[in-house]
Amino acid sequence: LAHLMKIVSYMLLLFGVILNIHLLYRASERMTLQISQSEAKLRGIIDQSLNFIGLLTTDGIVLDGNRTALNSAGVYAEDVLGQPFWETPWWTHSAEMQDRLRESIRRAATGQFDRFEATHPTPDGSLIYVDFTLKPVRDESGEIIFLMPEGRDVTEQKAAVDALVTAELRLENAL
């Protein structure tokens, strides 16, 4: 009888272990699904943004870019992922812009926010003006883990200001 009780005891223990493994597996499946849904929501929000948004390593290697940024340059993600940001189509049209960006990356990697006006070529060969920012992304301990480039096309605003200045100059000259 003691031997039978021992066998039943082991079987119950084994059943409990199997049940716990099954419950952990199901919980893991639910968590994986929740993470996947959260990532899809975030990707949807980022890709629908009118701003150009990306993610870089602290030394400027491209990890991600939203659909708006990729479309503005006429490239696919695989064309730029893993590349130094300054060697991507947004920057290669101007050595001066590349130098300015490299300096911005150095500054952001030390915790500084940077902002400047940049130009980016479009697939049709024209240039757009971009209000560009680069900021550090910190983890919960405050360590800089990524850099986040963000840009907004300000070409129309810049053209409107230029037209206003031209009109003011004409008016002054006419008087």
Side-chain angles (χ1 to χ4, degrees):
L1 186 61
H3 182 65
L4 186 58
M5 291 299 285
K6 204 176 211 184
I7 291 173
V8 168
S9 192
Y10 284 135
M11 289 179 71
L12 287 173
L13 179 64
L14 182 59
F15 176 75
V17 168
I18 291 171
L19 181 62
N20 280 338
I21 290 171
H22 175 73
L23 292 174
L24 287 171
Y25 177 75
R26 298 293 294 201
S28 171
E29 282 181 327
R30 281 192 306 275
M31 288 176 60
T32 300
L33 179 61
Q34 288 172 342
I35 290 169
S36 178
Q37 289 172 339
S38 292
E39 287 176 351
K41 286 179 195 175
L42 184 58
R43 171 55 64 188
I45 291 168
I46 290 171
D47 277 344
Q48 294 304 311
S49 172
L50 296 176
N51 289 344
F52 311 135
I53 302 171
L55 191 66
L56 310 175
T57 63
T58 56
D59 57 351
I61 303 301
V62 178
L63 297 174
D64 202 357
N66 73 341
R67 182 68 27 222
T68 305
L70 296 170
N71 289 345
S72 76
V75 297
Y76 296 100
E78 51 272 9
D79 297 331
V80 296
L81 296 182
Q83 299 297 314
F85 193 34
W86 57 89
E87 292 180 8
T88 61
W90 297 284
W91 304 97
T92 54
H93 69 287
S94 167
E96 182 182 325
M97 285 279 126
Q98 289 177 304
D99 290 343
R100 179 66 177 89
L101 176 63
R102 280 191 287 268
E103 178 58 29
S104 185
I105 288 168
R106 280 191 286 278
R107 291 170 48 86
T110 65
Q112 299 176 53
F113 171 88
D114 199 14
R115 181 179 188 179
F116 61 94
E117 186 176 277
T119 56
H120 293 327
T122 62
D124 69 8
S126 62
L127 284 180
I128 59 172
Y129 290 89
V130 175
D131 178 15
F132 178 80
T133 60
L134 188 63
K135 52 192 146 215
V137 176
R138 298 176 185 272
D139 65 11
E140 51 281 338
S141 70
E143 182 180 341
I144 299 168
I145 54 173
F146 300 113
L147 303 179
M148 186 179 130
E150 187 173 10
R152 186 168 58 93
D153 183 349
V154 294
T155 305
E156 290 180 12
Q157 294 90 327
K158 186 166 179 55
V161 168
D162 289 348
L164 182 60
V165 168
T166 300
E168 287 175 350
L169 288 173
R170 284 186 187 153
L171 183 60
E172 284 178 17
N173 289 336
L175 298 176

